[in-house]
Each structure stands twice: as structure tokens, then as C-alpha cells.
């Protein structure tokens, strides 16, 4: 029988993880079965437990359960501990549940490898201080960014996130107070879901700079349209999605799938370009 995995979320019907992991399994010759589990909002731990007892080997976790997954794990990676959120669970033979957060390494690989934008020495502005933002701070710092400024609608949340990384070049503040020159701007807010572009205050992007929206979509988000108008190179989060999945697959199977051809098939033609230039 195939080894079973699933993505847990609520809602979860939209998730592209089953198709991505099926493609990885075909490419690497791994025998896995990957499904979706719609967990009740008050029943995540019970749903995971039932899946595990039924022979499940691991899981991905999406909104709104990433923090609960971190609490459920009996051991976790440094990047999951730093994020206080888990998107990957591995059920070990001794009954342990290992938790990891692969979102950050997914973002870093997408930016550096797929988009060819170096992070070492980069000045990075990140908009948003929710779960996704928290998951990428440590990997961005480890990639050697010169500075990372986190700006959020609720400034206190950005300040608290920065304070968790004392000693690293991470600062926090409000959207209104953004100022300075950046090589990369990452939109980690959910504003794009409502077709809104969060303010970037008085931020200036260097020529050749990249604006990245973690949300992925067929058309560029309002944030990316505005960025392209200002001359920026733009990318959505489909590459982050594929790369975080590859890292989860590696954690479960010990085999790293290739991502280039899958991503080429999923990415929109405007990804990585300067619109209309
Ligand atoms: P979350 O925990 O709910 O956080 C939402 C963040 O967006 C908060 O910082 C919130 O600010 C801010 N926000 C919401 N509406 C806003 C608006 N109208 N203007 C300005 N800021 C606004 O959500 P999340 O899990 O971090 O997800 C954020 C985004 O990342 C989503 O679009 C999600 O789809 C995407 N994501 C993509 C991937 C991928 O693999 N590509 C992975 C994870 C997440 P306040 O604190 O002030 O409320």
C-alpha cells in the first residue's frame, strides 16, 4: 500500500499541494498517496490523530492551523520554533511528531535560485507580520540579508516579531512609517486577497529590484501592478509554494524532487518580468 500523506486546512478544497506532491512522486519514483483533509475549526488535533492512527506518515498544514500544528509537534526544527508555526508534520515510528516550517526556505530558494536575485547583502522590506511573515524571517536572516524591515498595519505585531530576532538585523514598524531604499519588497499581507495593495510609504526600490507577492494568482495582484508601474521586476508566490512543498517532500522521503519543470508549467508568463517593458 502507498504511504499516505495529506494537507490539513479549513478551507482546503483549493489546495494545490496534492497535485504538486503527485508530480514529485512521479518524478522521484516514490510510492505515496497524498490527499486533502478538511479539519473542523475546533478539531485539528483530533483529525491529525485519526489520520496518524490510520497509517498516515506525514502532513502539510495550512490556514488556520499552523500554530496549532506547532503546539502538537513533540519536537521541531529551529525555523519552526522561530516561526512558532508548523506547515509540515512527520509522524515517526517511535510515536514522535516532528514539526518543520518550510515556507521560509521555499521563499529563499524561489528568490535566489528560480528568480536569480541574491539575498546576501540585500536590504529587504517585508509587509505583514502574520503567520507567513513570521515563517520567513529566520531563513531570510540566514540567507545573509543586510537588513530586514518588517512593516505591518498593526505596528505592534511587526515590532514584536522583530523583537523575537534580537541580535539579527531585523526591525519592525508601521506601514505609514516606511522609509529607505530596498533591493527586495515582499508582500506577506493578505491584502491581495481583497484586491488591495498595502502602502509601501516612502520606500524606494533600487533599479533591478524585485517586488514579490506571497499570494499567487493568474493575474498580477494590485501590489504587483503598482510595483511594475514603478519599473520593478515582479513575482508571485507560486514558486514559494512549489519550493516549500519540495522541502516537505524531502523531509518525509529523504529525496529532493526537481522543481524547475513543474514550476515552468504552473508559473504565469509575467512571473519574473517587468510588465510591459
Ligand atoms: P495572516 O496570518 O492572517 O496575516 C495577515 C497579514 O496581513 C497581517 O499582517 C495583517 O495585518 C495583514 N493584512 C491583512 N489585510 C490587510 C490590508 N488590507 N492591508 C494591509 N495589511 C493587511 O495570513 P498569512 O498566513 O500570514 O498569509 C499572508 C499571505 O501569504 C496570504 O496571501 C497567503 O495566501 C500567502 N501565503 C503564501 C504562501 C506560499 O507558499 N506562496 C505560504 C503562506 C502564505 P494585521 O496584523 O494588522 O491584521
Amino acid at each position: 500500500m502507498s504511504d499516505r500523506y495529506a494537507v490539513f486546512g479549513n478551507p482546503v478544497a483549493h489546495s494545490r499541494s496534492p497535485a504538486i506532491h503527485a508530480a514529485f512522486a512521479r518524478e522521484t519514483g516514490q510510492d505515496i498517496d497524498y490527499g486533502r483533509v478538511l479539519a473542523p475549526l475546533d478539531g485539528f488535533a483530533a483529525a491529525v490523530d485519526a489520520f496518524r492512527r490510520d497509517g498516515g506518515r506525514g502532513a502539510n498544514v495550512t490556514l488556520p492551523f499552523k500554530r496549532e500544528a506547532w503546539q502538537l509537534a513533540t519536537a521541531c526544527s529551529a525555523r519552526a520554533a522561530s516561526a512558532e508555526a508548523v506547515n509540515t508534520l512527520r509522524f515517526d515510528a517511535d510515536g514522535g511528531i516532528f514539526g518543520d516550517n518550510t515556507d521560509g526556505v521555499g521563499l529563499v530558494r524561489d528568490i535566489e535560485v528560480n528568480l536569480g536575485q541574491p539575498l546576501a547583502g540585500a536590504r529587504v522590506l517585508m509587509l505583514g507580520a502574520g503567520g507567513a511573515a513570521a515563517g520567513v524571517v529566520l531563513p531570510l536572516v540566514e540567507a545573509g540579508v543586510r537588513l530586514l524591515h518588517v512593516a505591518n498595519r498593526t505596528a505592534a505585531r511587526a515590532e514584536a516579531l522583530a523583537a523575537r530576532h534580537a541580535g539579527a538585523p531585523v526591525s519592525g514598524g508601521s506601514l505609514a512609517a516606511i522609509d529607505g531604499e530596498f533591493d527586495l519588497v515582499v508582500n506577506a499581507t493578505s491584502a491581495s486577497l481583497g484586491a488591495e495593495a498595502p502602502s509601501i510609504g516612502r520606500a524606494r526600490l533600487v533599479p533591478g529590484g524585485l517586488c514579490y507577492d506571497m499570494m499567487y494568482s493568474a493575474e498580477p495582484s494590485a501590489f504587483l501592478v503598482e510595483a511594475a508601474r514603478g519599473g520593478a521586476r515582479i513575482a508571485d508566490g507560486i514558486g514559494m509554494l512549489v519550493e516549500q512543498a519540495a522541502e516537505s517532500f524531502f523531509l518525509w522521503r529523504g529525496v529532493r524532487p526537481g522543481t524547475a519543470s513543474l514550476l515552468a508549467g504552473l508559473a504565469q508568463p509575467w512571473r519574473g518580468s517587468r510588465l510591459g517593458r
Side-chain angles (χ1 to χ4, degrees), residues 237-251:
I238 192 72
M240 174 179 173
L241 181 77
V242 169
E243 295 297 341
Q244 63 77 30
E247 186 73 10
S248 298
F249 192 91
F250 177 69
L251 183 78

Side-chain angles (χ1 to χ4, degrees), residues 63 66 103 128-133 152-154 157 175 188-191 193 196 198 214-216 237 240-241 244:
L63 280 174
K66 289 186 185 182
D103 283 338
N152 195 41
R153 184 174 61 180
T154 310
R157 248 181 129 184
L175 291 175
T189 73
S190 45
L193 297 170
E196 275 181 65
M214 284 193 186
M215 195 190 79
Y216 46 87
M240 174 179 173
L241 181 77
Q244 63 77 30

Side-chain angles (χ1 to χ4, degrees), residues 57-228:
R57 299 282 297 272
N60 281 129
V61 181
T62 187
L63 280 174
F65 300 124
K66 289 186 185 182
R67 195 172 164 82
E68 266 187 84
W70 168 64
Q71 288 162 339
L72 194 67
T74 54
C76 70
S77 64
R79 56 198 184 196
S82 150
E84 298 184 352
V86 154
N87 75 340
T88 309
L89 293 169
R90 187 186 66 208
F91 309 136
D92 292 330
D94 63 0
I97 302 179
F98 183 75
D100 198 357
N101 189 316
T102 65
D103 283 338
V105 72
L107 176 72
V108 165
R109 280 209 193 112
D110 189 36
I111 291 174
E112 290 200 309
V113 181
N114 302 333
L115 296 162
Q117 197 92 7
L119 284 170
R123 293 157 297 176
V124 182
L125 168 63
M126 183 158 64
L127 310 170
V136 303
V137 172
L138 183 63
L140 284 171
V141 167
E142 287 177 345
V145 300
R146 193 194 316 173
L147 67 87
L148 171 59
H149 182 68
V150 183
N152 195 41
R153 184 174 61 180
T154 310
R157 248 181 129 184
E159 286 157 7
L161 182 54
R164 294 216 316 257
H165 296 271
V170 182
S171 54
S174 71
L175 291 175
I178 300 170
D179 200 356
E181 197 165 59
F182 298 93
D183 304 287
L184 168 68
V185 181
V186 177
N187 182 14
T189 73
S190 45
S192 298
L193 297 170
E196 275 181 65
S199 156
I200 60 163
R202 298 191 311 171
R204 296 171 302 282
L205 192 73
V206 295
L210 175 70
C211 285
Y212 190 104
D213 198 328
M214 284 193 186
M215 195 190 79
Y216 46 87
S217 47
E219 298 299 329
S221 64
F223 165 74
L224 292 182
V225 168
E226 251 177 49

Side-chain angles (χ1 to χ4, degrees), residues 1-6 21 25 30-35 51 58:
M1 204 171 76
S2 308
D3 290 339
R4 291 179 57 216
Y5 298 87
H21 283 282
Q30 293 283 306
D31 185 13
I32 73 162
D33 171 59
Y34 189 112
F51 182 72

